[in-house]
Amino acid sequence: MRRASRRDENEAAIVAALEAAGCSVERISAKGIPDLLVGRHGQTWIIEVIGPAKAAKYRTTGGLTPDQVAFRARWRGQWATARTSVEALVAVGIGIDP
């Protein structure tokens, strides 16, 4: 039996911010596939959440694992990384005032 994937420590806050902004969010748990499927106004994004531990471990690839680097190279749709809630909101086109 497959264990549940470990989630990045900042993912819950990012999901909460996206949902509060009116986005639909589904968590994805497949090797090499980004963490979140996000929908807003008829558009869909996939977002890879980069937690501090992953960012430190995979510094040379911006926090992406080798499988994620390969996925990004072949993906032709909208794709983003987010370390914070603000980065996730901006990725889906929600402007944030300072």
Side-chain angles (χ1 to χ4, degrees), residues 6 16 20-21 44 47-48 55 61 63 65 70 75 84-85 88 92:
R6 198 175 108 231
T44 302
I47 298 177
E48 174 58 36
T61 57
T65 68
W75 184 250
T84 66
S85 299
V92 300

Side-chain angles (χ1 to χ4, degrees), residues 38-81:
V38 181
R40 177 175 179 262
H41 297 307
Q43 292 186 312
T44 302
W45 290 265
I46 53 174
I47 298 177
E48 174 58 36
V49 175
I50 306 289
K54 194 176 356 174
K57 184 174 182 179
Y58 299 103
R59 280 189 308 272
T60 60
T61 57
L64 299 177
T65 68
D67 288 329
Q68 291 166 337
V69 171
F71 176 85
R72 185 173 189 181
R74 68 180 184 271
W75 184 250
R76 301 294 178 248
Q78 296 180 5
W79 193 95
T81 59

Side-chain angles (χ1 to χ4, degrees), residues 31-43:
K31 185 175 178 163
I33 306 300
D35 298 309
L36 305 176
L37 181 65
V38 181
R40 177 175 179 262
H41 297 307
Q43 292 186 312

